[in-house]
Amino acid sequence: MEQKERQDKNREKAVIWNNHIKRWEGSGLSQIDYCRENNLSRHRFTYWKCKNNKKANPVKFIPIVTRPAKSSLYPDTEPLKVHVGDKYCIEVGEGFSDETLTRLIKTLSGM
């Protein structure tokens, strides 16, 4: 029973403050001046104004479609071909490790 009474009181407060906010919007007065003239707490007025704005303008989520980023600095290029003497041809694609490639070339050159 106590919870219902509290809900009823909150609804009554909301109606009273909503009426004040509507009158303020049409008054041409600043919020501070309206509160002074009507003997209202400026902080409570702001609280109820913000509360009404949240109800009138709820947060909306907008879906964002993403595409995977191309990881290559040179998109749509052929693989790099490295010839080591007349014996070896190494094709290097995107994302290679320059350190590993250097070791491989040194190893193949020594053979």
Side-chain angles (χ1 to χ4, degrees), residues 20 44 74 89 106 109:
H20 274 295
R44 297 304 309 162
Y74 307 103
C89 177
K106 284 181 182 178
S109 295

Side-chain angles (χ1 to χ4, degrees), residues 2 4 15 23 35 39 50 52 69-70 76 80 86-87 106:
E2 191 174 306
K4 186 179 182 321
V15 169
R23 286 198 309 257
C35 290
N39 200 25
C50 290
N52 285 345
K70 290 189 177 184
D76 304 325
L80 174 66
D86 293 334
K87 292 184 177 181
K106 284 181 182 178

Side-chain angles (χ1 to χ4, degrees), residues 73-106:
L73 296 175
Y74 307 103
D76 304 325
T77 59
E78 293 291 318
L80 174 66
K81 293 182 182 181
V82 179
H83 293 275
V84 181
D86 293 334
K87 292 184 177 181
Y88 305 103
C89 177
I90 305 166
E91 288 190 14
V92 180
E94 296 182 32
F96 71 91
S97 163
D98 57 342
E99 185 180 311
T100 303
L101 180 61
T102 302
R103 282 192 320 204
L104 177 61
I105 292 171
K106 284 181 182 178

Side-chain angles (χ1 to χ4, degrees), residues 40-85:
L40 299 173
S41 162
R42 182 173 46 99
H43 298 290
R44 297 304 309 162
F45 187 93
T46 301
Y47 167 82
W48 283 98
K49 187 175 86 170
C50 290
K51 190 170 180 158
N52 285 345
N53 283 340
K54 285 180 185 177
K55 286 181 183 177
N57 302 310
V59 174
K60 295 176 186 171
F61 291 97
I62 300 170
I64 298 174
V65 178
T66 60
R67 285 177 256 148
K70 290 189 177 184
S71 63
S72 174
L73 296 175
Y74 307 103
D76 304 325
T77 59
E78 293 291 318
L80 174 66
K81 293 182 182 181
V82 179
H83 293 275
V84 181

